[in-house]
Amino acid sequence: MSPLSRLALLWTLPAVLGLPNSTPLATPTPSPVEQRDVASFVGGVGNDIVSAVSDVGQFFQDLPTGTAVEKALGISASDLAAKPTEVLNLPSYGNWTDDGWNVLVHGNVYKVPNTTQSKLDDLANVFLVGTDIEDLSPAEQNQARNLTASIYVVQQGEVNVTITFVNDVDVDPQNDGGAVNAAGGAQSIQLPDETTSQGDFGAWLLLANTTGPNPKDGYLVPGNITDRVQTLSMYASGTNTGNATAYLVPPKGVTIISDIDDILRITKIWDPKEGLLNSFARPFTPWMNMPDIYSDWSQTNRDFHFHYLTTTPEQATRNYMEFIFAKYPIGSFDTRPLNFSDVSATLSIRKFLLDRIFQTFPERKFILVGDTSNSDVMKAYPQLNKDYPGNVLCILLRNSSSTDSTDHFPYDTSGFEGMPQSQYMFFNVPDDLRGLDVAKGECYNVTVRQNVTFGLQGFSLDSGTGVPRPNVWGLVLGLGVIFGLVF
Ligand SMILES: *[C@@H]1O[C@H](CO)[C@@H](O)[C@H](O)[C@H]1NC(C)=O
Ligand SMILES: *[C@@H]1O[C@H](CO)[C@@H](O)[C@H](O)[C@H]1NC(C)=O
Ligand SMILES: *[C@@H]1O[C@H](CO)[C@@H](O)[C@H](O)[C@H]1NC(C)=O
Ligand SMILES: *[C@@H]1O[C@H](CO)[C@@H](O)[C@H](O)[C@H]1NC(C)=O
Ligand SMILES: *[C@@H]1O[C@H](CO)[C@@H](O)[C@H](O)[C@H]1NC(C)=O
Ligand SMILES: *[C@@H]1O[C@H](CO)[C@@H](O)[C@H](O)[C@H]1NC(C)=O
Ligand SMILES: *[C@@H]1O[C@H](CO)[C@@H](O)[C@H](O)[C@H]1NC(C)=O
Ligand SMILES: *[C@@H]1O[C@H](CO)[C@@H](O)[C@H](O)[C@H]1NC(C)=O
Ligand SMILES: *[C@@H]1O[C@H](CO)[C@@H](O)[C@H](O)[C@H]1NC(C)=O
Ligand SMILES: *[C@@H]1O[C@H](CO)[C@@H](O)[C@H](O)[C@H]1NC(C)=O
Ligand SMILES: *[C@@H]1O[C@H](CO)[C@@H](O)[C@H](O)[C@H]1NC(C)=O
């Protein structure tokens, strides 16, 4: 099947999912008029491929929530009453303030409805696009059903969430991220607000300086007299599904902010079918020997803070966390909260999350890691260097087209114009990063040829008609699909 006809299948998604506010369905193949509209839109905005994607992406609104889920599964609210409440609690960070440690707590409250395997298989097939779940291996089937079930959950609005902090983090020294288990800090706090109508919670909690029953239990260490990250476990009351770790991060030091798809794991977002299979069915697989690089960084810089920032919808977060914590140094997480799930917010969510962490740690230095196929990374990372002068130590971007000939994905390098080469690098393989003393701001490996022209790369218009060539078409549409649905 051509990329376009494969994608055409996806155009029916809003109806299958019973999404609210979905625009009337497009016919599987765009009519000449629609093609011209999109083409002139692409042409009209010139280099701004992101806007083009957001335009095409209008067909793909949020993942289903609340009543849309109930409708898709054919259940009613009363069917859910007996189901336990579950909590997705994201590992988070806290900063040191004049009043003590201030910790972000964020996540979602939901119930997993009863459903049948055949219903789940039907819904999974929608995501698998052109692959039937029956054709997958048993492990892949499980993963596809698990992720589909994670998406078809019913979020619980207007509920209170209480978090209990305990210093019992038990980590594998091989991937402890340099963090140390805190002393003291035990306490329970109810969040100031109930969950939003979409089940999300997000609050900053000021921790009291407590000790345990035994004086030897000690106290949390103030952030200005240590350079190490301290960890505390967080338990959400009433469930065993809401366990996570809080990372108390000193005001000074280095934080690695890393994207995940196509930099820490193989996703191939530029190939929609592969991207969907790699996200929905196949076990998550590290990209080459990237785990060794992070492990080296963590073992030689015990004061680093690792923060994983992906715009994947929070419903898919558990798979990401499980993968990261098995292969990479432990650290805090940000994913896309539900109030950012419409397409226009997709484009602003990364900036929102990045601004939040920069503003939380105004004195820290940041090393930003991502890849060229991610257009919001390409835009947001160099912008941070302008918005927070002196805070960006390095920007390290995998050039995903240099190692994957199927990546014809256009990307925009213009944000890097004027930035000193010593501060950033487009690299090809993880080994290009080996031995760089990133903590000292050594970001550029002179043996890795940089031949960067600043502007839109890899985007070709047919010179006769000015219409994007077919492979570009597939990519533009594909990105819209994946953006709106998966990432
Ligand atoms: C550490 O921070 C606290 C709270 O802001 C302040 O009272 C204290 O003087 C600081 N200590 C040092 C060593 O800077
Ligand atoms: C969910 O399904 C199980 C087994 O299929 C059944 O025993 C249970 O009663 C169902 N629960 C609800 C709330 O429908
Ligand atoms: C999916 O699997 C993860 C861990 O493997 C588990 O924590 C989660 O509850 C599962 N989700 C659903 C909806 O079954
Ligand atoms: C949540 O807690 C607040 C403050 O304790 C209380 O006023 C409110 O009724 C609680 N909401 C629910 C749904 O229990
Ligand atoms: C989403 O909620 C957060 C608070 O949890 C808020 O700061 C943010 O502005 C909201 N974003 C949108 C797009 O509504
Ligand atoms: C907590 O109090 C103890 C005892 O007064 C003190 O040694 C410690 O520095 C304090 N820690 C924080 C985080 O304020
Ligand atoms: C969460 O923590 C509690 C208390 O340690 C434990 O009993 C439970 O198994 C944990 N839940 C998960 C999913 O690991
Ligand atoms: C701590 O983080 C909060 C939330 O981002 C921020 O408003 C505050 O300024 C930070 N405090 C310090 C001392 O950096
Ligand atoms: C990425 O790699 C491709 C293929 O080797 C090359 O043409 C392109 O210039 C590289 N881009 C950057 C920004 O280095
Ligand atoms: C630079 O890149 C080369 C080629 O990948 C690699 O062999 C070398 O270890 C890297 N690091 C340094 C510091 O040169
Ligand atoms: C650098 O890129 C330009 C434009 O893409 C190309 O013409 C030139 O041959 C490249 N130079 C090297 C040394 O590869």
Side-chain angles (χ1 to χ4, degrees), residues 79 82-83 114:
D79 292 332
K83 304 293 289 181
N114 252 7

Side-chain angles (χ1 to χ4, degrees), residues 192-215:
D193 297 315
E194 296 174 352
T195 54
T196 66
S197 59
Q198 294 170 307
D200 274 342
F201 56 91
W204 288 94
L205 303 181
L206 202 54
L207 297 183
N209 183 14
T210 60
T211 184
N214 185 329

Side-chain angles (χ1 to χ4, degrees), residues 34 50 61 67 73 75 92 160 171 178 201-202 306 368 419 435:
E34 285 165 327
V50 168
Q61 304 272 328
T67 53
L73 297 175
I75 55 160
S92 65
N160 284 316
V171 295
F201 56 91
F306 290 85
L368 309 170
M419 193 166 164

Side-chain angles (χ1 to χ4, degrees), residues 372 378 397-404 407 411-413 416 424-428 448-454 457-458:
T372 53
M378 293 298 288
L397 291 160
R398 170 193 172 197
N399 179 347
S400 42
S401 37
S402 77
T403 42
D404 193 319
D407 179 10
Y411 59 92
D412 190 350
T413 51
F416 292 85
Y424 71 92
M425 172 169 63
F426 290 94
F427 66 97
N428 304 305
V448 181
R449 194 172 57 84
Q450 304 286 295
N451 185 17
V452 184
T453 46
F454 300 104
Q457 312 291 309

Side-chain angles (χ1 to χ4, degrees), residues 193-240:
D193 297 315
E194 296 174 352
T195 54
T196 66
S197 59
Q198 294 170 307
D200 274 342
F201 56 91
W204 288 94
L205 303 181
L206 202 54
L207 297 183
N209 183 14
T210 60
T211 184
N214 185 329
K216 275 189 293 190
D217 292 339
Y219 291 92
L220 296 174
V221 178
N224 52 0
I225 61 167
T226 180
D227 58 2
R228 297 292 286 272
V229 174
Q230 300 169 73
T231 55
L232 277 177
S233 293
M234 298 186 279
Y235 298 102
S237 299
T239 175
N240 67 7

Side-chain angles (χ1 to χ4, degrees), residues 289-306:
N289 58 336
M290 206 57 186
D292 296 343
I293 303 296
Y294 274 49
S295 173
D296 284 355
W297 283 351
S298 171
Q299 294 299 330
T300 47
N301 303 284
R302 303 300 287 155
D303 54 347
F304 272 13
H305 163 219
F306 290 85

